[in-house]
Amino acid sequence: MDLASLRPSHQHQQVAVIVKGVVEKYHYKKQSLDDAWSERILERYLEALDANRNFFLQSDVDNFGLYRHRLDDSLRTAALEPAFNIFRIYRQRVEKRVAFAKSLLERDFDFSRDEVYQFDREDVPWAASSAELDEIWRRRVKNDVLGLRMADKPEAEIKETLEKRYDGIARRVRQLTADDVFQTFINAYTLTLEPHTSYMSPSTSENFDISMRLSLEGIGAVLRSENEFT
């Protein structure tokens, strides 16, 4: 989806007002939507976008501090632009990281060096600089290459496989629609209340209903994507 088209619609604004009203009126856990809650919404939203802290820099997170005490107002007035602004920056960061990862495949790695790649970065600080994030991704790509070498994959196949893998990361993010962004943000709101209250977009709700019914009218075929082909 075109980056410029990722903007909240009038329908999103209406739904935001309804969700907030339902939560405040009917949810058993009564809690005021205030600045403290706004902080938790921002933290949950960034976690939903970049849980492993591979894309945002600390400077990005610092800049998002502008919204730290404004997301409660966004929900109250249905002014959803802050959530979409954050997502657009996220997508730009993903594109940049994927391009960098692919450029690393043109280099030779020194596997005699004693290095460690940390898979789980959920609880580590955000990278303080682009250079630090470059180093994290260098180790990630090096580890990916090593894993395929240990599986006895030829060098040409390793490069092709990883290029497709990294392209897939960017492609999945590019495919996220405004509905997806809205759903992620609203769930950052509801899930900070407790972990069993969430909002589903129409398409997500339809898929959920199908999975719960364990039945689907059709010809018995399942569509999936592989390297941008259906």
Side-chain angles (χ1 to χ4, degrees):
M1 171 167 283
D2 179 51
L3 196 62
S5 65
L6 284 171
R7 300 191 178 280
S9 67
H10 180 62
Q11 183 178 18
H12 295 147
Q13 294 173 319
Q14 290 179 314
V15 172
V17 172
I18 293 171
V19 170
K20 175 184 170 294
V22 169
V23 168
E24 290 183 340
K25 186 173 183 179
Y26 296 107
H27 201 282
Y28 76 93
K29 190 173 182 180
K30 303 301 181 183
Q31 184 171 336
S32 298
L33 183 58
D34 54 16
D35 287 350
W37 197 347
S38 179
E39 290 185 14
R40 296 196 296 275
I41 293 172
L42 178 59
E43 291 172 1
R44 173 76 72 159
Y45 187 49
L46 297 182
E47 178 184 330
L49 295 177
D50 190 9
N52 215 36
R53 305 194 172 193
N54 284 321
F55 302 105
F56 285 136
L57 295 171
Q58 181 63 57
S59 58
D60 293 322
V61 178
D62 291 342
N63 289 335
F64 299 150
L66 171 68
Y67 306 125
R68 185 167 297 278
H69 294 151
R70 290 173 55 185
L71 296 183
D72 55 328
D73 301 319
S74 291
L75 288 164
R76 198 173 289 111
T77 62
L80 303 173
E81 286 80 5
F84 281 76
N85 290 341
I86 291 172
F87 181 82
R88 283 192 290 271
I89 293 173
Y90 166 68
R91 209 175 91 170
Q92 291 170 356
R93 298 295 181 265
V94 171
E95 297 278 1
K96 181 178 180 179
R97 284 297 124 200
V98 166
F100 179 70
K102 291 170 63 178
S103 72
L104 292 174
L105 295 175
E106 305 298 329
R107 305 182 188 180
D108 293 324
F109 292 103
D110 181 4
F111 292 102
S112 65
R113 291 174 60 185
D114 186 11
E115 292 186 310
V116 175
Y117 170 63
Q118 184 173 353
F119 286 89
D120 185 359
R121 292 179 34 81
E122 182 178 356
D123 297 320
V124 303
W126 300 95
S129 65
S130 292
E132 182 180 341
L133 201 52
D134 285 350
E135 175 62 12
I136 292 168
W137 274 85
R138 184 191 67 79
R139 295 190 182 204
R140 173 176 176 168
V141 174
K142 181 179 179 179
N143 182 76
D144 290 344
V145 171
L146 180 60
L148 292 176
R149 280 190 177 185
M150 293 177 66
D152 295 325
K153 300 291 185 182
E155 291 300 314
E157 185 177 337
I158 289 174
K159 180 180 178 182
E160 181 182 2
T161 298
L162 293 180
E163 282 183 340
K164 291 178 179 178
R165 181 183 301 178
Y166 302 145
D167 280 335
I169 295 172
R171 183 174 64 253
R172 285 188 293 273
V173 174
R174 284 195 296 266
Q175 288 174 341
L176 293 176
T177 65
D179 283 346
D180 297 318
V181 178
F182 175 73
Q183 176 179 274
T184 303
F185 174 63
I186 288 296
N187 281 328
Y189 161 55
T190 60
L191 293 173
T192 53
L193 187 62
E194 52 86 25
H196 305 292
T197 300
S198 59
Y199 164 80
M200 294 183 184
S201 68
S203 60
T204 302
S205 178
E206 182 180 2
N207 290 333
F208 177 78
D209 289 341
I210 290 171
S211 66
M212 293 301 291
R213 290 197 305 266
L214 299 179
S215 63
L216 172 65
E217 295 183 3
I219 61 173
V222 177
L223 294 178
R224 63 184 176 87
S225 61
E226 181 175 335
N227 300 329
E228 298 188 348
F229 295 101
T230 300

